[in-house]
Amino acid sequence: MAIKAAPRVRSDAVPLRTFRSTGRPVAIAGLGIHAPENVLTNQDLERMVETSDQWIRERTGIKRRHIAEPGTTTFSLAVEAAREALAASAVRPEELDMILVATSTPDGPFPSVACRVQGELGVPGACAMDLLAACTGFVYALSAAEAYVSSGRADTVLVIGAEVLSRLIDWKDRGTSVIFADGAAAAVLRPAQRGAGFVAWCLGSDGRGYDQITCGNPTLGGYASGESTPRIAMKGPDVFKFATDIFIRQAFAVAEEAGIDIDDIDLFVPHQANSRIIEAAARRVGLPMERVMVNIDEYGNTSTATIGLALHDALRQGRLKSGDRVLIAGFGSGLTWGACLLEWE
Ligand code: UT7
């Protein structure tokens, strides 16, 4: 297959920061997911806001999404995903050195969701904290976990992406209410048993775009202003353009840092924000859709949970095999972005 050329970069485009993994190789040992049982279909949304099943499917790829029932919290979704990931990786909770939860919707400002998960798993002692990088949070958390394990500061780290975004949705805003949803995904990171594990990374942010996806008015101080109920707001078309560009640039940057060609990538697992963004990026990068994981139809955009949900589905569908080169990429509010290339164990 022909080697794809990297895109010409606009002169005003933010330079991308890439780096290679160092130290001992680190791999994902197991995955777990959890979504609320309650399903909200496009037809349900037709009765709530001026939209149509056809518009949502054609413009976003979403058919249904899971919405937390009253009483279900980010913590309760996170702990179920964690339990499955621990079982899948044959890791006992007491082996955990660290729990990292990426979330934009903690159940409260404190304590952290990570501490609640730790308490529920009954593993006092492990370091536990939350990390906020919006939809890029799962990739940021993977990178932090990998750094701890590769350096020997930790042997076993539980990474979770969990959200209950539905409680921050303005259900009258058809630009966001049809997209965002609830769910959780978890991964256990350990020293790789064989193969390279994580190989290369690209992480960054551009705070000049802080107002493109918000929850609470940031110019008023958001939560701090005492705003009663902050709601998600998004400049959809601007984010669409940013997202497509950053997916493309990250793919080439990470492949170059890893020393491979785009054609060497066996599976691209992108943040599930919009199937049109994913398809446009894949087309311009030169990856056929058979090598791209899309499951936004089932879950919608669950922010930090999408990548774990997609990895888990890929594994279940037999699309992830040992030795496969996997490109993971995300972007989100901030604006933030993050991608990595790993050899699947
Ligand atoms: O993880 C967080 C990152 N977020 C994203 O990645 C989101 C990126 N952006 C998007 O996914 C898309 O911009 C949206 C799905 C949010 C919107 O799709 P779009 O193709 O960019 O639509 P648009 O905002 O340009 O609107 C096109 C038309 C407008 O009508 P007119 O002015 O052409 O008559 C909208 O009012 O579609 C209308 N519209 C809708 N119609 C039915 C917007 N939302 C809806 C809707 N149902 N839900």
Side-chain angles (χ1 to χ4, degrees):
M1 260 188 268
I3 293 170
K4 309 295 182 306
R8 203 136 38 100
V9 175
R10 287 194 332 267
S11 59
D12 62 338
V14 178
L16 297 188
R17 212 179 130 262
T18 60
F19 51 92
R20 271 188 86 89
S21 295
T22 54
R24 57 178 173 168
V26 181
I28 293 178
L31 294 164
I33 62 167
H34 194 72
E37 271 174 32
N38 177 38
V39 165
L40 186 71
T41 63
N42 292 349
Q43 289 75 13
D44 294 330
L45 277 160
E46 282 176 349
R47 291 188 283 274
M48 296 162 64
V49 69
E50 198 187 332
T51 191
S52 69
D53 171 50
Q54 187 184 0
W55 191 97
I56 302 171
R57 271 189 290 109
E58 289 179 1
R59 308 291 278 204
T60 71
I62 302 169
K63 292 181 185 158
R64 38 193 253 150
R65 73 283 290 141
H66 297 248
I67 300 293
E69 306 81 5
T72 296
T73 64
T74 297
F75 151 69
S76 61
L77 296 176
V79 85
E80 293 303 325
R83 286 200 173 104
E84 189 190 334
L86 289 167
S89 47
V91 163
R92 284 173 288 114
E94 50 278 23
E95 291 177 74
L96 292 174
D97 299 308
M98 176 181 258
I99 300 172
L100 276 175
V101 177
T103 185
S104 301
T105 53
D107 304 317
F110 52 84
S112 66
V113 177
C115 280
R116 297 283 318 276
V117 170
Q118 188 200 42
E120 187 69 16
L121 294 177
V123 285
C127 160
M129 62 178 145
D130 290 359
L131 183 156
L132 199 164
C135 301
T136 316
F138 196 72
V139 183
Y140 272 37
L142 285 178
S143 85
E146 192 245 9
Y148 270 87
V149 179
S150 65
S151 65
R153 290 183 184 189
D155 287 324
T156 311
V157 180
L158 175 63
V159 170
I160 304 172
E163 307 286 358
V164 176
L165 291 160
S166 58
R167 301 207 176 110
L168 301 178
I169 289 173
D170 173 356
W171 289 102
K172 291 188 194 66
D173 176 10
R174 63 182 182 171
T176 53
S177 59
V178 304
I179 294 173
F180 293 106
D182 305 334
V188 173
L189 270 64
R190 300 197 91 173
Q193 303 295 304
R194 53 188 178 278
F198 290 95
V199 178
W201 297 85
C202 174
L203 298 181
S205 62
D206 183 356
R208 291 174 301 178
Y210 77 92
D211 61 347
Q212 295 204 359
I213 315 172
T214 56
C215 184
N217 187 335
T219 56
L220 292 179
Y223 280 120
S225 69
E227 235 182 307
S228 53
T229 317
R231 296 291 177 208
I232 298 170
M234 180 169 68
K235 298 180 180 172
D238 291 345
V239 177
F240 191 106
K241 192 172 172 310
F242 156 73
T244 313
D245 279 354
I246 205 73
F247 266 163
I248 297 164
R249 292 187 59 214
Q250 286 193 107
F252 283 103
V254 168
E256 187 180 341
E257 185 66 60
I260 64 163
D261 296 321
I262 292 291
D263 289 335
D264 297 328
I265 294 168
D266 297 295
L267 192 67
F268 175 33
V269 183
H271 168 47
Q272 310 283 309
N274 183 321
S275 59
R276 283 189 301 134
I277 294 175
I278 296 170
E279 283 159 14
R283 191 168 53 247
R284 282 169 56 194
V285 166
L287 274 174
M289 287 308 288
E290 304 85 75
R291 284 195 258 159
V292 182
M293 186 63 208
V294 182
N295 66 351
I296 192 171
D297 54 328
E298 170 63 28
Y299 295 110
N301 181 345
T302 55
S303 188
T304 57
T306 68
I307 288 173
L309 286 165
L311 279 171
H312 189 274
D313 266 5
L315 200 58
R316 199 172 44 85
Q317 293 167 16
R319 295 182 65 184
L320 255 183
K321 296 175 297 301
S322 184
D324 277 358
R325 284 168 167 155
V326 183
L327 172 69
I328 289 173
F331 65 89
S333 169
L335 295 164
T336 53
W337 58 86
C340 62
L341 192 285
L342 70 151
E343 210 177 282
W344 193 255
E345 187 158 297

mmCIF file of all heavy atoms in Angstrom, residues 228-271:
data_model
loop_
_atom_site.group_PDB
_atom_site.id
_atom_site.type_symbol
_atom_site.label_atom_id
_atom_site.label_comp_id
_atom_site.label_asym_id
_atom_site.label_seq_id
_atom_site.Cartn_x
_atom_site.Cartn_y
_atom_site.Cartn_z
ATOM 1 N N SER A 228 -26.966 28.785 38.926
ATOM 2 C CA SER A 228 -27.775 27.731 39.543
ATOM 3 C C SER A 228 -27.495 26.356 38.932
ATOM 4 O O SER A 228 -27.016 25.455 39.607
ATOM 5 C CB SER A 228 -29.256 28.087 39.460
ATOM 6 O OG SER A 228 -29.581 28.368 38.118
ATOM 7 N N THR A 229 -27.778 26.181 37.642
ATOM 8 C CA THR A 229 -27.560 24.869 37.035
ATOM 9 C C THR A 229 -26.737 25.042 35.770
ATOM 10 O O THR A 229 -27.293 25.427 34.738
ATOM 11 C CB THR A 229 -28.908 24.198 36.678
ATOM 12 O OG1 THR A 229 -29.808 24.412 37.760
ATOM 13 C CG2 THR A 229 -28.743 22.728 36.416
ATOM 14 N N PRO A 230 -25.442 24.808 35.838
ATOM 15 C CA PRO A 230 -24.639 24.971 34.628
ATOM 16 C C PRO A 230 -25.068 23.974 33.563
ATOM 17 O O PRO A 230 -25.446 22.847 33.890
ATOM 18 C CB PRO A 230 -23.210 24.697 35.102
ATOM 19 C CG PRO A 230 -23.346 23.955 36.376
ATOM 20 C CD PRO A 230 -24.653 24.329 36.975
ATOM 21 N N ARG A 231 -25.050 24.394 32.313
ATOM 22 C CA ARG A 231 -25.474 23.533 31.205
ATOM 23 C C ARG A 231 -24.394 23.496 30.123
ATOM 24 O O ARG A 231 -23.664 24.472 29.924
ATOM 25 C CB ARG A 231 -26.771 24.054 30.572
ATOM 26 C CG ARG A 231 -27.969 24.050 31.496
ATOM 27 C CD ARG A 231 -28.427 22.632 31.803
ATOM 28 N NE ARG A 231 -29.537 22.617 32.741
ATOM 29 C CZ ARG A 231 -29.787 21.619 33.578
ATOM 30 N NH1 ARG A 231 -28.994 20.567 33.608
ATOM 31 N NH2 ARG A 231 -30.810 21.660 34.395
ATOM 32 N N ILE A 232 -24.351 22.366 29.428
ATOM 33 C CA ILE A 232 -23.370 22.214 28.347
ATOM 34 C C ILE A 232 -23.765 23.122 27.185
ATOM 35 O O ILE A 232 -24.934 23.167 26.784
ATOM 36 C CB ILE A 232 -23.325 20.757 27.860
ATOM 37 C CG1 ILE A 232 -22.889 19.832 28.995
ATOM 38 C CG2 ILE A 232 -22.399 20.611 26.655
ATOM 39 C CD1 ILE A 232 -23.029 18.347 28.694
ATOM 40 N N ALA A 233 -22.787 23.854 26.667
ATOM 41 C CA ALA A 233 -22.997 24.671 25.465
ATOM 42 C C ALA A 233 -21.840 24.416 24.511
ATOM 43 O O ALA A 233 -20.697 24.221 24.955
ATOM 44 C CB ALA A 233 -23.066 26.152 25.844
ATOM 45 N N MET A 234 -22.119 24.404 23.213
ATOM 46 C CA MET A 234 -21.059 24.042 22.262
ATOM 47 C C MET A 234 -21.226 24.795 20.945
ATOM 48 O O MET A 234 -22.338 24.943 20.452
ATOM 49 C CB MET A 234 -21.141 22.529 22.004
ATOM 50 C CG MET A 234 -20.111 22.005 21.041
ATOM 51 S SD MET A 234 -20.082 20.206 21.043
ATOM 52 C CE MET A 234 -21.674 19.813 20.315
ATOM 53 N N LYS A 235 -20.085 25.277 20.423
ATOM 54 C CA LYS A 235 -20.095 25.851 19.074
ATOM 55 C C LYS A 235 -19.827 24.706 18.110
ATOM 56 O O LYS A 235 -18.681 24.455 17.708
ATOM 57 C CB LYS A 235 -19.029 26.935 18.965
ATOM 58 C CG LYS A 235 -19.267 28.105 19.913
ATOM 59 C CD LYS A 235 -18.198 29.163 19.796
ATOM 60 C CE LYS A 235 -18.479 30.312 20.758
ATOM 61 N NZ LYS A 235 -17.386 31.284 20.828
ATOM 62 N N GLY A 236 -20.890 23.959 17.807
ATOM 63 C CA GLY A 236 -20.770 22.684 17.093
ATOM 64 C C GLY A 236 -19.916 22.726 15.826
ATOM 65 O O GLY A 236 -18.935 21.979 15.710
ATOM 66 N N PRO A 237 -20.247 23.586 14.850
ATOM 67 C CA PRO A 237 -19.489 23.579 13.597
ATOM 68 C C PRO A 237 -18.000 23.928 13.796
ATOM 69 O O PRO A 237 -17.139 23.360 13.130
ATOM 70 C CB PRO A 237 -20.203 24.628 12.744
ATOM 71 C CG PRO A 237 -21.610 24.636 13.278
ATOM 72 C CD PRO A 237 -21.469 24.400 14.754
ATOM 73 N N ASP A 238 -17.683 24.857 14.733
ATOM 74 C CA ASP A 238 -16.270 25.197 14.995
ATOM 75 C C ASP A 238 -15.539 23.994 15.580
ATOM 76 O O ASP A 238 -14.403 23.689 15.209
ATOM 77 C CB ASP A 238 -16.161 26.359 16.000
ATOM 78 C CG ASP A 238 -16.651 27.664 15.407
ATOM 79 O OD1 ASP A 238 -16.791 27.721 14.170
ATOM 80 O OD2 ASP A 238 -16.915 28.606 16.179
ATOM 81 N N VAL A 239 -16.208 23.314 16.511
ATOM 82 C CA VAL A 239 -15.586 22.143 17.131
ATOM 83 C C VAL A 239 -15.400 21.031 16.091
ATOM 84 O O VAL A 239 -14.396 20.330 16.082
ATOM 85 C CB VAL A 239 -16.433 21.626 18.325
ATOM 86 C CG1 VAL A 239 -15.831 20.369 18.914
ATOM 87 C CG2 VAL A 239 -16.567 22.706 19.387
ATOM 88 N N PHE A 240 -16.364 20.915 15.203
ATOM 89 C CA PHE A 240 -16.293 19.902 14.146
ATOM 90 C C PHE A 240 -15.003 20.080 13.338
ATOM 91 O O PHE A 240 -14.259 19.128 13.077
ATOM 92 C CB PHE A 240 -17.526 20.054 13.236
ATOM 93 C CG PHE A 240 -17.720 18.927 12.264
ATOM 94 C CD1 PHE A 240 -18.714 17.980 12.466
ATOM 95 C CD2 PHE A 240 -16.915 18.809 11.138
ATOM 96 C CE1 PHE A 240 -18.893 16.934 11.579
ATOM 97 C CE2 PHE A 240 -17.092 17.769 10.242
ATOM 98 C CZ PHE A 240 -18.083 16.829 10.466
ATOM 99 N N LYS A 241 -14.730 21.320 12.960
ATOM 100 C CA LYS A 241 -13.543 21.602 12.131
ATOM 101 C C LYS A 241 -12.252 21.335 12.925
ATOM 102 O O LYS A 241 -11.327 20.692 12.443
ATOM 103 C CB LYS A 241 -13.605 23.074 11.678
ATOM 104 C CG LYS A 241 -12.609 23.405 10.610
ATOM 105 C CD LYS A 241 -12.861 24.810 10.070
ATOM 106 C CE LYS A 241 -11.743 25.220 9.126
ATOM 107 N NZ LYS A 241 -10.414 25.016 9.693
ATOM 108 N N PHE A 242 -12.234 21.836 14.154
ATOM 109 C CA PHE A 242 -11.064 21.600 15.015
ATOM 110 C C PHE A 242 -10.821 20.098 15.175
ATOM 111 O O PHE A 242 -9.697 19.610 15.066
ATOM 112 C CB PHE A 242 -11.289 22.257 16.384
ATOM 113 C CG PHE A 242 -10.472 21.645 17.505
ATOM 114 C CD1 PHE A 242 -9.102 21.870 17.588
ATOM 115 C CD2 PHE A 242 -11.078 20.834 18.455
ATOM 116 C CE1 PHE A 242 -8.354 21.289 18.603
ATOM 117 C CE2 PHE A 242 -10.335 20.241 19.470
ATOM 118 C CZ PHE A 242 -8.961 20.477 19.546
ATOM 119 N N ALA A 243 -11.906 19.360 15.435
ATOM 120 C CA ALA A 243 -11.793 17.931 15.725
ATOM 121 C C ALA A 243 -11.219 17.173 14.525
ATOM 122 O O ALA A 243 -10.325 16.333 14.669
ATOM 123 C CB ALA A 243 -13.171 17.378 16.085
ATOM 124 N N THR A 244 -11.734 17.477 13.350
ATOM 125 C CA THR A 244 -11.263 16.772 12.152
ATOM 126 C C THR A 244 -9.779 17.061 11.933
ATOM 127 O O THR A 244 -8.977 16.153 11.716
ATOM 128 C CB THR A 244 -12.087 17.213 10.919
ATOM 129 O OG1 THR A 244 -13.468 17.179 11.272
ATOM 130 C CG2 THR A 244 -11.849 16.300 9.733
ATOM 131 N N ASP A 245 -9.410 18.341 12.022
ATOM 132 C CA ASP A 245 -7.994 18.734 11.837
ATOM 133 C C ASP A 245 -7.087 18.040 12.844
ATOM 134 O O ASP A 245 -6.032 17.522 12.491
ATOM 135 C CB ASP A 245 -7.823 20.252 12.036
ATOM 136 C CG ASP A 245 -8.219 21.025 10.806
ATOM 137 O OD1 ASP A 245 -8.516 20.383 9.780
ATOM 138 O OD2 ASP A 245 -8.243 22.265 10.888
ATOM 139 N N ILE A 246 -7.491 18.051 14.108
ATOM 140 C CA ILE A 246 -6.600 17.533 15.155
ATOM 141 C C ILE A 246 -6.495 16.006 15.063
ATOM 142 O O ILE A 246 -5.427 15.443 15.323
ATOM 143 C CB ILE A 246 -7.015 18.037 16.557
ATOM 144 C CG1 ILE A 246 -5.815 18.036 17.516
ATOM 145 C CG2 ILE A 246 -8.144 17.235 17.168
ATOM 146 C CD1 ILE A 246 -4.809 19.110 17.284
ATOM 147 N N PHE A 247 -7.561 15.329 14.663
ATOM 148 C CA PHE A 247 -7.469 13.878 14.443
ATOM 149 C C PHE A 247 -6.419 13.580 13.370
ATOM 150 O O PHE A 247 -5.574 12.690 13.521
ATOM 151 C CB PHE A 247 -8.818 13.324 13.971
ATOM 152 C CG PHE A 247 -9.697 12.786 15.069
ATOM 153 C CD1 PHE A 247 -11.052 12.589 14.834
ATOM 154 C CD2 PHE A 247 -9.193 12.460 16.316
ATOM 155 C CE1 PHE A 247 -11.890 12.082 15.821
ATOM 156 C CE2 PHE A 247 -10.023 11.950 17.314
ATOM 157 C CZ PHE A 247 -11.362 11.766 17.058
ATOM 158 N N ILE A 248 -6.481 14.333 12.279
ATOM 159 C CA ILE A 248 -5.571 14.081 11.156
ATOM 160 C C ILE A 248 -4.124 14.374 11.581
ATOM 161 O O ILE A 248 -3.221 13.557 11.403
ATOM 162 C CB ILE A 248 -5.961 14.971 9.949
ATOM 163 C CG1 ILE A 248 -7.360 14.602 9.459
ATOM 164 C CG2 ILE A 248 -4.939 14.841 8.821
ATOM 165 C CD1 ILE A 248 -7.983 15.638 8.549
ATOM 166 N N ARG A 249 -3.932 15.546 12.182
ATOM 167 C CA ARG A 249 -2.557 15.939 12.545
ATOM 168 C C ARG A 249 -1.980 15.009 13.604
ATOM 169 O O ARG A 249 -0.808 14.645 13.554
ATOM 170 C CB ARG A 249 -2.549 17.400 13.017
ATOM 171 C CG ARG A 249 -2.848 18.389 11.877
ATOM 172 C CD ARG A 249 -2.658 19.827 12.331
ATOM 173 N NE ARG A 249 -1.311 20.067 12.787
ATOM 174 C CZ ARG A 249 -0.987 20.915 13.775
ATOM 175 N NH1 ARG A 249 -1.933 21.591 14.405
ATOM 176 N NH2 ARG A 249 0.262 21.076 14.141
ATOM 177 N N GLN A 250 -2.813 14.609 14.566
ATOM 178 C CA GLN A 250 -2.311 13.699 15.606
ATOM 179 C C GLN A 250 -1.929 12.343 15.020
ATOM 180 O O GLN A 250 -0.937 11.744 15.420
ATOM 181 C CB GLN A 250 -3.363 13.477 16.689
ATOM 182 C CG GLN A 250 -3.557 14.638 17.616
ATOM 183 C CD GLN A 250 -4.382 14.230 18.833
ATOM 184 O OE1 GLN A 250 -3.854 14.100 19.928
ATOM 185 N NE2 GLN A 250 -5.654 14.041 18.665
ATOM 186 N N ALA A 251 -2.726 11.860 14.090
ATOM 187 C CA ALA A 251 -2.447 10.537 13.494
ATOM 188 C C ALA A 251 -1.065 10.545 12.853
ATOM 189 O O ALA A 251 -0.249 9.639 13.090
ATOM 190 C CB ALA A 251 -3.522 10.185 12.473
ATOM 191 N N PHE A 252 -0.787 11.585 12.056
ATOM 192 C CA PHE A 252 0.520 11.649 11.402
ATOM 193 C C PHE A 252 1.639 11.888 12.409
ATOM 194 O O PHE A 252 2.716 11.298 12.307
ATOM 195 C CB PHE A 252 0.516 12.743 10.324
ATOM 196 C CG PHE A 252 -0.198 12.308 9.075
ATOM 197 C CD1 PHE A 252 -1.477 12.758 8.789
ATOM 198 C CD2 PHE A 252 0.405 11.422 8.187
ATOM 199 C CE1 PHE A 252 -2.147 12.338 7.648
ATOM 200 C CE2 PHE A 252 -0.260 10.995 7.037
ATOM 201 C CZ PHE A 252 -1.543 11.456 6.767
ATOM 202 N N ALA A 253 1.381 12.741 13.403
ATOM 203 C CA ALA A 253 2.428 13.065 14.384
ATOM 204 C C ALA A 253 2.813 11.836 15.205
ATOM 205 O O ALA A 253 4.002 11.564 15.427
ATOM 206 C CB ALA A 253 1.941 14.190 15.302
ATOM 207 N N VAL A 254 1.822 11.081 15.652
ATOM 208 C CA VAL A 254 2.097 9.912 16.490
ATOM 209 C C VAL A 254 2.763 8.810 15.656
ATOM 210 O O VAL A 254 3.704 8.155 16.116
ATOM 211 C CB VAL A 254 0.805 9.400 17.165
ATOM 212 C CG1 VAL A 254 1.006 8.046 17.800
ATOM 213 C CG2 VAL A 254 0.354 10.385 18.231
ATOM 214 N N ALA A 255 2.281 8.624 14.427
ATOM 215 C CA ALA A 255 2.885 7.601 13.564
ATOM 216 C C ALA A 255 4.362 7.948 13.320
ATOM 217 O O ALA A 255 5.236 7.075 13.403
ATOM 218 C CB ALA A 255 2.123 7.508 12.250
ATOM 219 N N GLU A 256 4.629 9.229 13.072
ATOM 220 C CA GLU A 256 6.026 9.636 12.826
ATOM 221 C C GLU A 256 6.881 9.405 14.070
ATOM 222 O O GLU A 256 7.986 8.871 14.004
ATOM 223 C CB GLU A 256 6.065 11.109 12.403
ATOM 224 C CG GLU A 256 7.460 11.544 11.966
ATOM 225 C CD GLU A 256 7.499 13.015 11.544
ATOM 226 O OE1 GLU A 256 6.435 13.585 11.242
ATOM 227 O OE2 GLU A 256 8.605 13.580 11.554
ATOM 228 N N GLU A 257 6.346 9.792 15.229
ATOM 229 C CA GLU A 257 7.096 9.607 16.486
ATOM 230 C C GLU A 257 7.361 8.125 16.744
ATOM 231 O O GLU A 257 8.413 7.738 17.261
ATOM 232 C CB GLU A 257 6.298 10.217 17.647
ATOM 233 C CG GLU A 257 6.995 10.219 18.987
ATOM 234 C CD GLU A 257 8.226 11.121 19.037
ATOM 235 O OE1 GLU A 257 8.075 12.325 18.825
ATOM 236 O OE2 GLU A 257 9.339 10.606 19.295
ATOM 237 N N ALA A 258 6.392 7.274 16.371
ATOM 238 C CA ALA A 258 6.545 5.827 16.589
ATOM 239 C C ALA A 258 7.410 5.179 15.501
ATOM 240 O O ALA A 258 7.771 4.003 15.618
ATOM 241 C CB ALA A 258 5.168 5.163 16.616
ATOM 242 N N GLY A 259 7.672 5.936 14.441
ATOM 243 C CA GLY A 259 8.499 5.398 13.363
ATOM 244 C C GLY A 259 7.765 4.406 12.480
ATOM 245 O O GLY A 259 8.365 3.476 11.935
ATOM 246 N N ILE A 260 6.458 4.607 12.334
ATOM 247 C CA ILE A 260 5.681 3.712 11.459
ATOM 248 C C ILE A 260 4.925 4.542 10.420
ATOM 249 O O ILE A 260 4.832 5.767 10.540
ATOM 250 C CB ILE A 260 4.670 2.855 12.249
ATOM 251 C CG1 ILE A 260 3.602 3.755 12.907
ATOM 252 C CG2 ILE A 260 5.362 1.982 13.293
ATOM 253 C CD1 ILE A 260 2.374 3.001 13.350
ATOM 254 N N ASP A 261 4.406 3.860 9.401
ATOM 255 C CA ASP A 261 3.565 4.517 8.410
ATOM 256 C C ASP A 261 2.100 4.360 8.822
ATOM 257 O O ASP A 261 1.753 3.425 9.545
ATOM 258 C CB ASP A 261 3.761 3.876 7.034
ATOM 259 C CG ASP A 261 5.182 4.082 6.537
ATOM 260 O OD1 ASP A 261 5.727 5.175 6.760
ATOM 261 O OD2 ASP A 261 5.739 3.138 5.952
ATOM 262 N N ILE A 262 1.274 5.245 8.320
ATOM 263 C CA ILE A 262 -0.162 5.150 8.608
ATOM 264 C C ILE A 262 -0.684 3.765 8.214
ATOM 265 O O ILE A 262 -1.515 3.167 8.909
ATOM 266 C CB ILE A 262 -0.932 6.263 7.844
ATOM 267 C CG1 ILE A 262 -0.583 7.643 8.419
ATOM 268 C CG2 ILE A 262 -2.440 6.006 7.869
ATOM 269 C CD1 ILE A 262 -1.094 7.941 9.815
ATOM 270 N N ASP A 263 -0.173 3.234 7.119
ATOM 271 C CA ASP A 263 -0.638 1.915 6.660
ATOM 272 C C ASP A 263 -0.334 0.793 7.649
ATOM 273 O O ASP A 263 -0.912 -0.285 7.559
ATOM 274 C CB ASP A 263 -0.013 1.576 5.302
ATOM 275 C CG ASP A 263 -0.597 2.433 4.200
ATOM 276 O OD1 ASP A 263 -1.738 2.903 4.363
ATOM 277 O OD2 ASP A 263 0.089 2.641 3.190
ATOM 278 N N ASP A 264 0.592 1.045 8.577
ATOM 279 C CA ASP A 264 0.934 0.022 9.573
ATOM 280 C C ASP A 264 -0.082 -0.023 10.718
ATOM 281 O O ASP A 264 -0.010 -0.909 11.569
ATOM 282 C CB ASP A 264 2.321 0.299 10.179
ATOM 283 C CG ASP A 264 3.423 0.228 9.129
ATOM 284 O OD1 ASP A 264 3.278 -0.571 8.183
ATOM 285 O OD2 ASP A 264 4.415 0.967 9.258
ATOM 286 N N ILE A 265 -0.986 0.954 10.771
ATOM 287 C CA ILE A 265 -1.971 0.995 11.869
ATOM 288 C C ILE A 265 -3.072 -0.028 11.584
ATOM 289 O O ILE A 265 -3.707 -0.001 10.529
ATOM 290 C CB ILE A 265 -2.559 2.418 12.017
ATOM 291 C CG1 ILE A 265 -1.454 3.390 12.469
ATOM 292 C CG2 ILE A 265 -3.729 2.426 12.997
ATOM 293 C CD1 ILE A 265 -1.829 4.856 12.371
ATOM 294 N N ASP A 266 -3.268 -0.959 12.525
ATOM 295 C CA ASP A 266 -4.281 -2.003 12.337
ATOM 296 C C ASP A 266 -5.666 -1.524 12.748
ATOM 297 O O ASP A 266 -6.666 -1.940 12.184
ATOM 298 C CB ASP A 266 -3.906 -3.247 13.158
ATOM 299 C CG ASP A 266 -2.596 -3.844 12.682
ATOM 300 O OD1 ASP A 266 -2.566 -4.313 11.533
ATOM 301 O OD2 ASP A 266 -1.607 -3.814 13.446
ATOM 302 N N LEU A 267 -5.737 -0.686 13.788
ATOM 303 C CA LEU A 267 -7.046 -0.197 14.235
ATOM 304 C C LEU A 267 -6.913 1.213 14.792
ATOM 305 O O LEU A 267 -6.048 1.493 15.623
ATOM 306 C CB LEU A 267 -7.628 -1.133 15.312
ATOM 307 C CG LEU A 267 -9.098 -0.889 15.641
ATOM 308 C CD1 LEU A 267 -9.999 -1.244 14.450
ATOM 309 C CD2 LEU A 267 -9.532 -1.698 16.862
ATOM 310 N N PHE A 268 -7.784 2.094 14.317
ATOM 311 C CA PHE A 268 -7.873 3.467 14.812
ATOM 312 C C PHE A 268 -9.088 3.519 15.731
ATOM 313 O O PHE A 268 -10.206 3.188 15.317
ATOM 314 C CB PHE A 268 -8.025 4.412 13.615
ATOM 315 C CG PHE A 268 -8.259 5.864 13.965
ATOM 316 C CD1 PHE A 268 -7.707 6.442 15.102
ATOM 317 C CD2 PHE A 268 -9.014 6.673 13.123
ATOM 318 C CE1 PHE A 268 -7.912 7.783 15.416
ATOM 319 C CE2 PHE A 268 -9.232 8.014 13.417
ATOM 320 C CZ PHE A 268 -8.688 8.570 14.564
ATOM 321 N N VAL A 269 -8.845 3.885 16.982
ATOM 322 C CA VAL A 269 -9.942 3.968 17.960
ATOM 323 C C VAL A 269 -10.075 5.430 18.391
ATOM 324 O O VAL A 269 -9.386 5.891 19.303
ATOM 325 C CB VAL A 269 -9.667 3.052 19.173
ATOM 326 C CG1 VAL A 269 -10.844 3.097 20.152
ATOM 327 C CG2 VAL A 269 -9.419 1.620 18.721
ATOM 328 N N PRO A 270 -10.944 6.180 17.711
ATOM 329 C CA PRO A 270 -11.075 7.607 18.018
ATOM 330 C C PRO A 270 -12.141 7.882 19.076
ATOM 331 O O PRO A 270 -13.051 7.070 19.283
ATOM 332 C CB PRO A 270 -11.532 8.183 16.672
ATOM 333 C CG PRO A 270 -12.306 7.080 16.031
ATOM 334 C CD PRO A 270 -11.752 5.768 16.560
ATOM 335 N N HIS A 271 -12.024 9.027 19.717
ATOM 336 C CA HIS A 271 -13.110 9.545 20.569
ATOM 337 C C HIS A 271 -14.377 9.595 19.714
ATOM 338 O O HIS A 271 -14.359 10.093 18.584
ATOM 339 C CB HIS A 271 -12.726 10.933 21.075
ATOM 340 C CG HIS A 271 -13.853 11.682 21.711
ATOM 341 N ND1 HIS A 271 -14.693 11.115 22.645
ATOM 342 C CD2 HIS A 271 -14.292 12.971 21.545
ATOM 343 C CE1 HIS A 271 -15.596 12.012 23.020
ATOM 344 N NE2 HIS A 271 -15.371 13.138 22.368
#
